[in-house]
Amino acid sequence: MAAQGKKVGILDVDLCGPSVAKVLGLEGKEVMQSSEGWVPVYTDAQKSMCCMSIAFLLKNNDEAVVWRGPKKTAMIKQFVGDVVWGELDMLIIDTPPGTSDEQMATIEELKGAKLRGAVVVTTPQQVAVVDVQKEISFARKMGVRVLGVVENMSGFVCPCCQEVTDV
């Protein structure tokens, strides 16, 4: 999306297992403070994609985050309201699996935004499919339209012959 000229923000609200910073190659980066709030970490000089994650606030990425609901909710509120996102074409939110505090707090904080809907990502394992069914039900109960479901890690492509093997 950023490669297509869109301004994209990625918010990692998987507070106990943040992975977006690592996936984007941003480990070790720090969030800067401005007079307007936290400045997210940018992935490129053109500032086409930015990211906010608790991973940027931890001294040690191996450190466990052991928080209950109210503290998680407060952090998500800060991520949504106190981060200087700027003008974005879209905000992608990575949540932990399930239907817990992170999902509820995020939806509550975005009530005034033009939320288009949710894309649910799953893996082909049966236990993940069961979780996704619950997440879809949760989204509907919260008034969030489900735009689609994406199955991730469903096959391995051999680098030599390009044959696909189901995982």
Side-chain angles (χ1 to χ4, degrees):
M1 292 170 269
Q4 297 171 345
K6 303 285 186 198
K7 295 281 188 182
V8 179
I10 302 178
L11 174 56
D12 185 357
V13 297
D14 190 347
L15 301 177
C16 295
S19 59
V20 173
K22 183 177 185 97
V23 169
L24 294 177
L26 300 174
E27 279 186 304
K29 303 286 184 184
E30 293 183 13
V31 172
M32 298 299 177
Q33 186 74 32
S34 78
S35 60
E36 298 174 30
W38 285 338
V39 178
V41 175
Y42 287 90
T43 61
D44 59 343
Q46 297 77 25
K47 297 185 176 184
S48 58
M49 185 162 60
C50 61
C51 176
M52 187 62 190
S53 172
I54 196 166
F56 301 132
L57 306 175
L58 299 175
K59 290 184 175 111
N60 177 354
N61 283 337
D62 294 330
E63 188 178 322
V65 176
V66 184
W67 289 352
R68 293 186 187 267
K71 194 156 186 178
K72 289 179 179 182
T73 299
M75 179 56 68
I76 290 168
K77 188 173 188 163
Q78 279 192 281
F79 280 169
V80 173
D82 295 345
V83 172
V84 185
W85 291 103
E87 290 294 320
L88 295 176
D89 293 306
M90 70 182 59
L91 178 63
I92 298 168
I93 302 170
D94 179 45
T95 64
T99 57
S100 190
D101 293 324
E102 292 89 341
Q103 289 85 348
M104 287 188 287
T106 302
I107 291 170
E108 287 298 317
E109 285 304 310
L110 294 171
K111 282 284 189 203
K114 295 178 185 175
L115 186 62
R116 290 189 185 155
V119 175
V120 181
V121 180
T122 187
T123 58
Q125 292 78 22
Q126 186 60 40
V127 69
V129 172
V130 170
D131 281 347
V132 163
Q133 290 170 335
K134 291 176 184 174
E135 289 169 5
I136 290 170
S137 172
F138 170 83
R140 289 183 177 141
K141 286 180 180 179
M142 296 295 289
V144 176
R145 192 172 128 212
V146 176
L147 301 174
V149 177
V150 175
E151 186 177 77
N152 195 11
M153 298 186 280
S154 61
F156 168 76
V157 179
C158 175
C160 299
C161 67
Q162 307 306 311
E163 182 178 336
V164 177
T165 304
D166 290 337
V167 175

